[in-house]
Amino acid sequence: MCTLSPRPSPIAVAPALLLVVISLWEVCAARRDAASAPGDAAWHAAGERVRAGYRPGDLIVFAPAWIDPVGRKELGDLIPLAVAARMDAARYGRIWEVAIRGARSPDTAGLEPVQAEDHDGVSVRRYERAPAIVVSDVLERLPAATADGARPALELAEVGFAPHRCLQISPAPGTPLRITFPQLPLGKELVGYVGIADVFSRRDVRSPSRLDVELAGEIIASATAGVDDGWVRFAAVTPPGAADVTFVVRATDANRRICFAAEARQ
Amino acid sequence: MSERPGETAAERVPASERKPASSRAKRLIGGALALIATIVVVVNQRDVGIARDEVVYMQNGAHYADWWVGLVTLDHGISEKSVTQTFGGPGATDNNREHPPLMKTLFGLSEKLLHRTLGVAGEVTAFRLPAAIMHGVLVLLAYAMVLELWGTAQAIVAALLLVFLPRAVFHAGLACFDAPAMTLWFATIYAYRRGLDGRRWPWQVGVLWGLALATKHTALLLPFALGAHYLIVAWRVRPQLAGATRAARVLAAVRAVIGYRWRVIVSLAVLGPLTLYVLWPWLWFDPVHHVRDWLAFHTNHVHYNYEYLGRNWNAPRFPWHVALVTTLFTVPVATLAAAAAGTGVWIAERTRRAAGAPELLLALSAAASAGPFFFGTTPIFGAEKHWMPVLPTICIAAAVGAVWAARTAAGTMATLRPARAHLAGRLAIGVIAGSVVLAAAVETQVAEPYALTWYNALAGGAPGGADLGMNRQFWGVAARGVLARLAAEAPATGTRFVYTHDASPAWGTYQRQGLVPRTLVDAGWEQGGIDRSQLALVIHERHFNRHDYLIWSSYGTVQPIYVLCTGGVPIVSVYRRPAK
């Protein structure tokens, strides 16, 4: 080692200097990090800005996802359950994104803000776009649906650690369960999502679930949702007009809580 | 004592030639550091909520203590029935029989003496005091080992770095096993090393390992460290039989290994299990069956949910690097940097300090503790608390590294100003080691009392940890921070039901402490409890998001009335059912 030399090189002080620099950096960084998240006043100011421009039907999202409770505390009265537990964000033409630490919500990916302000570290950004026009929503048409086994229930479920309103069903192992929506109004596209609800059953039973969508007896879309896949999207091009649409769900194990939602879009 | 670069003249004096007063002073320093460690833990735990499992340990510890006191005062004898009723039962978790009793018994005895009899400590503090004292013992043992092997400066720095470990301080303040298990693990290492001096009766190592076993099953990993070290050290001192046949050399080597310090092995093999047996009445009847049940519980342990690098893990295979990355983010950065330097010093000096190979022993200790978590199948849910015995190794290496860096720098400076060499050496240690300790102290101050949400500056603190998708917390301790807000919602008379979530086991204790009015009543579990409640709290962990959604459905709102944050990161939300 260089320190064994009778005339130590000046470079021998480098480890000591490095330790001092790292230590002093840590002293400053630890305090800075702890105070880096905006406080109540900043959140309140940001919330007031959103309230001033909010219109019914707007979507409010928070980023990063872990700050969601703070955002809901400030603006939760403007977020109905159905919006918080939405299938996706496509039907919303105006989106307010309230964010810290430079984060973006997945719901605004690819969009450019038409308005952006900063309130002491809380960014308020508004996005506008042409929303998806929903022709029909299977959640709303559940009463008209038929099933060749147990009927699904409309639930607000945890799927992939996120809230989703969905039709939840547990098919018998190995037996496909068919849920048909007669004369479902269709647009040009049918978009849906499927996932497995309940973190504990996902832990204890590791097999995936499968969903097929049939139109006039033909499979037009399929999706497989594994225990770690979360909310899995599927989509199919559809002929506009009313038609019987069947969702076929399959599981290989019992008590597999399959959740799905779908919208026919213009 | 070998001369080391940067040492001052005074420090080069062999230990045997130093003044006795100096030894006394060093002992006093060690005692003071141990006392400081205990005080830091005791003071800190006052703001730390009650962990879910802690309630179980407190309750069972009180029963165990009553049983022992009854036995000593001849209120009852030893019968299979009384032992089973107190320490066991047919179910896998009856009377918490899945965990050995040493610390639980001490928790119970402490509460019985300090709270119920003398009234000098609160209920929770009295339960937690034995764990806090054990942390002081750890600091003292680390100080003693380093003092003997490396010197005074290193010993003080190692002790201080152990005092200022945010997660360790947190765990040491709970009436749980993880911090005491670290202490007794290290105590076994300490006794083993001393036992290698050839003493006739190295009973200490066996007894201490038995105490470690009687604290937590993780002590079963210790023989891997001790065994590997013993084999390596014994192999090194085997006789070199030049010219002998291969068979003769092998035979001589085997003899040398077995006969090297065989009493240490016997001590571990006999006194370790014997100590466990004596301390655990549940083993007094049908010991083989009960030991098998104990181990089976842990080898088949359910995988709790644990968030790591953005993903919720609850089933193997787990990433091999969980222990590595989590340690990298939960030990102060300056301590880690100094430990890297110290490791370099150990490697560079490996041939200069052959006897006993203490550096190797410390490295093997850390490896045995954390090693199982690299396999991808060992449950990872407890994170750093399950491999805490790596921490003494890290802190000792850090002390060696910091003092080496200081002395090396001082040595360089001394070539420029030889007359000031002595002063330069001390000053350098003060500045460099002091800055490392200061950084650790600041991290500790920032981390508490929600240290499970804290991550070091490398991760970016609590918000950086959240950005990285590191585990937010566990055991429901953070509920302590919203009790005052809940109390403000309490009616003066009558009752108001609260969905207490993960704080449910601790609710009664919080009420006895006066932190929650008795008019706030625990509403019960899951959907039924939520539907019954007017107030609800959710302790934020990723897999607990479902509790938010259950509350939203029942209350018809997604808006909490209060969100407790640490470092800006939400840890508990409080909801109030809207008026109809």
Side-chain angles (χ1 to χ4, degrees), chain A residues 93-264:
Chain A
R94 279 165 51 101
I95 302 176
W96 295 89
E97 183 179 60
V98 186
I100 62 171
R101 301 170 68 81
R104 288 285 301 266
S105 165
D107 289 326
T108 65
L111 301 178
E112 288 296 320
V114 295
Q115 182 185 345
E117 294 176 16
D118 183 83
H119 299 270
D120 287 334
V122 182
S123 299
V124 176
R125 295 184 282 265
R126 183 163 58 82
Y127 302 88
E128 292 186 358
R129 63 170 175 198
I133 305 300
V134 177
V135 176
S136 61
D137 182 338
V138 298
L139 304 188
E140 295 165 2
R141 291 181 171 263
L142 178 60
T146 61
D148 61 0
R151 286 179 59 81
L154 179 59
E155 299 278 357
L156 195 170
E158 175 271 313
V159 180
F161 307 100
H164 292 291
R165 286 179 78 240
C166 60
L167 301 181
Q168 184 172 301
I169 185 74
S170 295
T175 306
L177 180 66
R178 302 172 64 83
I179 302 139
T180 301
F181 291 83
Q183 294 303 296
L184 185 71
L186 296 174
K188 293 177 181 171
E189 186 182 32
L190 182 77
V191 177
Y193 292 78
V194 63
I196 302 171
D198 182 40
V199 61
F200 292 107
S201 63
R202 288 199 300 270
R203 177 190 67 182
D204 299 336
V205 180
R206 305 293 292 169
S207 60
S209 59
R210 181 181 167 82
L211 179 141
D212 294 323
V213 185
E214 294 179 1
L215 180 66
E218 288 197 7
I219 295 174
I220 58 169
S222 293
T224 299
V227 291
D228 294 321
D229 293 340
W231 194 228
V232 180
R233 189 178 193 272
F234 57 87
V237 174
T238 55
D244 292 352
V245 177
T246 300
F247 294 82
V248 184
V249 293
R250 293 179 174 86
T252 54
D253 290 290
N255 300 319
R256 180 49 95 212
R257 300 181 191 182
I258 302 173
C259 267
F260 69 93
E263 294 174 351

Side-chain angles (χ1 to χ4, degrees), chain A residues 1-38 40 43 51 64-85 100-101 103 155-164 198-200 202-204 206 227-228 257, chain B residues 5 302-305 311-312 314-316 331-335 337-338 341 344-345 348-349 352 401-402 404-406 408-413 415 431-432 435-440 442-443 445-446 454 456-464 466-467 472 540 542-546 548-549 552-553 556-563 565-570 573 575:
Chain A
M1 296 177 74
C2 60
T3 52
L4 299 179
S5 162
R7 285 183 62 81
S9 159
I11 200 76
V13 301
L17 281 177
L18 193 59
L19 281 182
V20 170
V21 168
I22 290 171
S23 299
L24 294 180
W25 165 79
E26 187 170 27
V27 167
C28 300
R31 293 202 162 279
R32 186 197 61 222
D33 292 338
S36 64
D40 288 347
W43 274 98
R51 286 179 191 282
W66 55 260
I67 205 65
D68 191 66
V70 175
R72 282 187 284 106
K73 174 180 164 280
E74 200 58 51
L75 290 162
D77 56 313
L78 301 181
I79 306 173
L81 257 63
V83 176
I100 62 171
R101 301 170 68 81
E155 299 278 357
L156 195 170
E158 175 271 313
V159 180
F161 307 100
H164 292 291
D198 182 40
V199 61
F200 292 107
R202 288 199 300 270
R203 177 190 67 182
D204 299 336
R206 305 293 292 169
V227 291
D228 294 321
R257 300 181 191 182
Chain B
V302 65
H303 292 284
Y304 298 147
N305 291 278
R311 185 175 157 185
N312 184 79
N314 57 20
V331 173
V333 184
T335 304
V345 172
E349 294 185 345
R352 296 171 61 191
W404 165 81
T408 303
T412 304
M413 305 293 273
T415 60
V431 170
I432 291 148
S435 62
V436 173
V437 172
L438 175 67
V442 168
E443 289 276 30
Q445 188 267 329
V446 165
W454 165 89
N456 67 16
L458 194 63
D467 281 342
R472 186 72 51 86
H540 292 302
R542 199 173 187 202
H543 72 283
F544 281 158
N545 287 358
R546 56 185 285 273
D548 276 298
Y549 313 152
W552 296 359
S553 292
T557 179
V558 303
Q559 188 171 33
I561 59 168
Y562 181 68
V563 179
C565 296
T566 179
V569 177
S573 286
Y575 293 88

